[in-house]
Amino acid sequence: MFQDRTDAGQQLADVLRERDLDADLVLGIPRGALPVARPVADALDVPLDIVVAKKMSAPENPEFAIGAAASDGSVYLDDETIERLGVDSEYIERERERAAETAREKVETYRQGDPPDVAGKTIVVVDDGVATGATMTACLRQLRAQDARRLVVGVPVGSPRSLAELEAEADEVVALDEPEGFRAVGQFYREFGQVSDEEAIAYLRGEE
C-alpha cells in the first residue's frame, strides 16, 4: 500500500536506481503519472517530459475502452472486446482520430517548447499503475515509431496479466507490486485523488 503517488514514485525511484539503469529520459503519462515520475527523473538525474495516449471509447458507453490512441495516432486495440461488441472499422477509425486529437491537445497544454528527441535513447515510461495497459501500450508504440533504442516501463503496481502483456511491447517492465487480487490502481493507494492539470504541470516543470 502506497501513501500517495509521490510515495510510490520515491519507492519506484529507489528500485530503478538500484538497477543502475542508464536512462536518458523519463516520460510520464498525464495526469496521474507526473507525481510518480518526478521522483524517478530526479533520482536518475534525467529530464522529465510526457507521452500521451487517450482511451478509445466503446459505442454508446464512453467509460468503457476498446483501445487507446497516442498523440501521433499510434494505436492499441482490444481485439477481443471489439469482436464481442461488434464494433465496425469505420467507428474504430473515427474513435482513433478523436482520441489522438485529444492526446495532441493534452500535449499542447503541458509542453513548453519542442518535444524531446527519443531516437536512439533509453526511455523510462512511468504511470501510477497499469490496469488494462491500453494507454501504456499506445504510448510505447509511439516511442517505437520514433526509434527509441530501449523502452523501460516503470510502475508502482499493476495487473499481472497486463504487465505480462507489456513485456511484448517494452524491453523491460519494472513493477513494485503485481497483486493477484488486482481490481483497480486506486485500491493500492491510501490517497488517490484526481491530479489537476495545474498540479501535473507543476510536477513536470519541477515546481511542485
Side-chain angles (χ1 to χ4, degrees):
M1 180 72 71
F2 305 104
Q3 179 62 36
D4 55 20
R5 289 181 176 89
T6 297
D7 172 48
Q10 290 166 345
Q11 293 189 45
L12 180 61
D14 289 342
V15 170
L16 291 171
R17 188 166 46 195
E18 288 170 3
R19 291 178 177 234
D20 199 24
L21 185 64
D22 187 20
D24 297 296
L25 181 67
V26 171
L27 298 179
I29 302 175
R31 295 175 300 215
L34 272 304
V36 183
R38 169 48 66 189
V40 172
D42 290 347
L44 299 178
D45 195 25
V46 298
L48 173 62
D49 209 288
I50 55 169
V51 59
V52 185
K54 291 296 181 181
K55 71 179 178 182
M56 297 166 56
S57 297
E60 301 179 4
N61 189 351
E63 296 304 313
F64 191 77
I66 59 171
S71 57
D72 74 334
S74 296
V75 67
Y76 161 79
L77 299 177
D78 184 339
D79 293 327
E80 183 178 318
T81 297
I82 288 169
E83 182 176 355
R84 177 166 55 82
L85 296 178
V87 185
D88 64 61
S89 58
E90 289 185 3
Y91 176 89
I92 291 170
E93 181 57 24
R94 288 197 306 271
E95 188 61 13
R96 184 193 67 80
E97 291 177 356
R98 182 203 63 77
E101 178 59 29
T102 302
R104 283 192 289 272
E105 291 172 357
K106 182 68 71 174
V107 170
E108 291 174 4
T109 298
Y110 277 59
R111 181 176 286 139
Q112 292 181 320
D114 296 328
D117 180 12
V118 303
K121 295 181 179 178
T122 296
I123 313 297
V124 182
V125 186
V126 173
D127 207 348
D128 55 13
V130 168
T132 66
T135 54
M136 177 65 77
T137 299
C139 288
L140 293 171
R141 290 180 179 178
Q142 173 174 313
L143 296 169
R144 287 286 186 209
Q146 295 171 344
D147 296 323
R149 183 179 68 85
R150 180 173 172 78
L151 295 175
V152 179
V153 170
V155 292
V157 64
S159 155
R161 176 180 176 181
S162 297
L163 291 169
E165 291 173 349
L166 284 173
E167 291 178 356
E169 304 286 341
D171 298 289
E172 185 177 359
V173 176
V174 179
L176 304 185
D177 195 8
E178 303 180 36
E180 289 299 330
F182 183 96
R183 297 188 305 278
V185 172
Q187 77 185 100
F188 300 99
Y189 288 82
R190 292 186 178 90
E191 299 176 21
F192 197 67
Q194 288 286 335
V195 177
S196 69
D197 281 334
E198 292 76 16
E199 290 171 321
I201 291 169
Y203 280 105
L204 179 61
R205 298 175 183 172
E207 300 169 351
E208 75 288 350

